[in-house]
Amino acid sequence: MNVGIGGYEWIILEDIQKAPQYLIDKYGNLLAQLIYNRKDLFDKEFSENYIEPTLQNIIHSSQFPSLEEIAFRLAESIKKNKRIVIYGDYDADGITSTALLMNFFKDINYPAKFYIPSRFSEGYGLNKEAIKKISEIADTLIVVDSGTNAYDELLYAKQLGMEVFILDHHEPQNPDWKEENIYILNPKNHQNSGLFRHLATVGIAFYVIAVLRRLLGKDIYLRKYLDIVAIGTVADVVPLSLLNRIFVKYGIEEINKKHRVGIKKLLEKASLTKRDVKSSDIGFLLAPRLNAAGRLSDARKSVKILITNDDIKASNLANELENLNRERQNITERVSKEAIKIIEKENISNSIVVGKEDWHQGVIGIVAGKLTTKYKLPSVVLAINNGKAVASVRSVPKVNIYNALNECADLLERYGGHALAAGFTIKSSNIPEFKERFNQAISKISGNSPFITKEIDMRISLSFWNKEKIKQIEILAPFGEKNPEPKFLAQNLKIEDYYLVEKGRLVVFTFRDINNNRFTAKWWGGLDYSRYFAVGLYADIVYTPTISYWQEKEYIEFLIDDMKIYKKG
């Protein structure tokens, strides 16, 4: 088995699915293979319009199933001055979707209110008690980032006299469900929704306001909203196909303009004012701060920072979110350590299911992600309290976790989610049976295929690269979910020298190839494997080529992702 020292089995995609000749003739061998390795993100013809993320290539709203009809209904409600409340969610997609709609209504001078349920007292999605309160102040309810499967709650809202609009991207249990005065806009309800299926709710909401602008005859500059759309899209880890790449690319440009005071204050707290923001900064620095309020306190704070124009209010909210994020980091570290102690006393096979009475339910999703990364297995983390448990689930690319939960549905009180992330509630008395059946479901879904694989695009030697070739692959950026940074395999490299840097757990190598060319390559995090390294040994490396900048000069840098070490001769 072709396994690197990181513990991953290497899968070389070029060996499995060589790009067809017509694609190579059109784009050249390098770009053709990268595109073909990501073929699910493009149209069947691999047309240039689907590859380059420009605003000119955005797919027209008329191709989004049900959008025009539902936006028309909402526009009619606005024209009739119906009282509108937006029912959001406490994660980054729900927060940004709510903020996007609130900003739009504010910009067209239309009074709208928003409601975010408490993670702790209400839980995920719609609940009847909240709907009852909202019905006293609203004629029209717009539900974002939940609601697709909340049939009882939707009918209850209708019974109370409200017209209901759902903007959501979660997997539908019954795509054909329909009810008068309840309008569900979810691309996953339609087989022919194409790349719209990959949108986060904030992307769906952006399409809605784009159509509303036209129907209402409002002169609104849509591009200014893309900063919020980019944050929700990256944070919700949706596939970065064409539409999402467009949103993220131009959204980052808007973020870097710093025109929205709340985002500017968050950038200051994240020490991101002296350079341009990248998509990875959204995932690792901005989104955690926005999510911290919903995890530990009140997610309305995160909505407010994205809709305020007041500098002082934005500063105060940014301080609150910063403090909450630090507290969240401390709690996460404690729960993670406790979870690992429990796990290492057990015999684990295909999955991890771990829970404890005093764990904070606001961090269990983060902990589940950390456990999945560490053990390379689907992970369930449960916060148990008074005979009930709230769970967060994170998976690996080979296992659709939502399908696994379907196999255990009779044991769960509520559940929902996506292929890689989900959540549920369960009676604590059902946890032992769930653990057994969940593990069986994982075995059934995965078969004999390994969980821990690293997909490598193609074999390319280090000497192949120049700046022009590296810039060529950047046409596929921004990189992220389902569109990872390209990875290549270089073989037969002799380790001439290396040194260790504690900060960043960095190892810097000097290699010599079979043609006597010398190269420098960096491995961030490689210090964990330093026991394997020695001058004179040979290495095959999985790497990404990049262009870096130092003192206003460009230079090529190779970043290592994994490695095999061996002797020769």
Side-chain angles (χ1 to χ4, degrees), residues 92-333:
D93 190 22
I95 289 163
T96 53
S97 301
T98 304
L100 179 66
L101 291 171
M102 287 297 296
N103 278 313
F104 174 75
F105 285 125
K106 185 166 65 174
D107 290 343
I108 65 170
N109 296 312
Y110 193 89
K113 297 179 179 179
F114 74 91
Y115 181 90
I116 306 286
S118 164
R119 180 189 292 268
F120 311 105
S121 61
E122 296 172 88
Y124 170 75
L126 289 166
N127 69 83
K128 291 183 179 179
E129 189 176 333
I131 292 168
K132 182 75 170 71
K133 289 178 185 175
I134 291 168
S135 71
E136 295 168 5
I137 59 168
D139 309 301
T140 299
L141 180 65
I142 303 174
V143 183
V144 296
D145 203 31
S146 72
T148 291
N149 300 315
Y151 309 122
D152 288 346
E153 289 81 2
L154 295 176
L155 290 171
Y156 181 65
K158 178 188 172 182
Q159 181 187 326
L160 292 175
M162 287 190 288
E163 184 181 40
V164 187
F165 296 85
I166 297 94
L167 315 182
D168 193 16
H169 71 134
H170 289 88
E171 296 289 343
Q173 293 169 9
N174 183 2
D176 299 322
W177 189 85
K178 285 183 172 60
E179 184 69 28
E180 189 179 0
N181 288 333
I182 298 175
Y183 307 101
I184 300 178
L185 184 62
N186 184 337
K188 290 175 183 169
N189 274 340
H190 304 273
Q191 292 292 325
N192 62 337
S193 58
L195 295 186
F196 294 109
R197 291 180 67 82
H198 296 156
L199 292 176
T201 302
V202 73
I204 296 168
F206 180 80
Y207 264 95
V208 169
I209 66 172
V211 178
L212 285 177
R213 179 188 71 156
R214 168 167 52 82
L215 294 174
L216 297 171
K218 300 294 183 179
D219 185 19
I220 299 290
Y221 184 58
L222 289 173
R223 186 165 168 172
K224 69 178 180 179
Y225 299 119
L226 289 178
D227 53 354
I228 294 176
V229 179
I231 292 171
T233 298
V234 173
D236 213 47
V237 200
V238 290
L240 286 191
S241 55
L242 176 70
L243 291 175
N244 288 329
R245 285 166 57 224
I246 292 171
F247 288 154
V248 173
K249 176 183 175 180
Y250 290 96
I252 287 172
E253 289 183 8
E254 294 301 309
I255 289 171
N256 287 323
K257 291 176 184 175
K258 301 180 178 66
H259 63 75
R260 199 175 302 280
V261 63
I263 291 178
K264 182 182 176 183
K265 297 299 180 184
L266 287 174
L267 293 175
E268 289 172 3
K269 289 297 176 185
S271 302
L272 281 174
T273 55
K274 293 182 180 179
R275 65 169 175 83
D276 282 348
V277 171
K278 302 178 292 187
S279 59
S280 57
D281 296 323
I282 295 175
F284 291 110
L285 297 172
L286 287 180
R289 286 167 167 81
L290 288 172
N291 275 328
R295 292 189 185 283
L296 301 187
S297 177
D298 183 350
R300 288 178 297 179
K301 294 172 183 176
S302 297
V303 176
K304 288 175 182 177
I305 200 171
L306 295 177
I307 64 177
T308 186
N309 293 322
D310 186 295
D311 195 84
I312 294 173
K313 187 181 285 187
S315 290
N316 291 337
L317 286 165
N319 287 332
E320 285 189 67
L321 294 179
E322 184 68 17
N323 292 333
L324 286 168
N325 191 47
R326 287 177 182 166
E327 184 183 354
R328 187 270 308 164
Q329 288 170 330
N330 293 333
I331 296 170
T332 300
E333 187 175 0

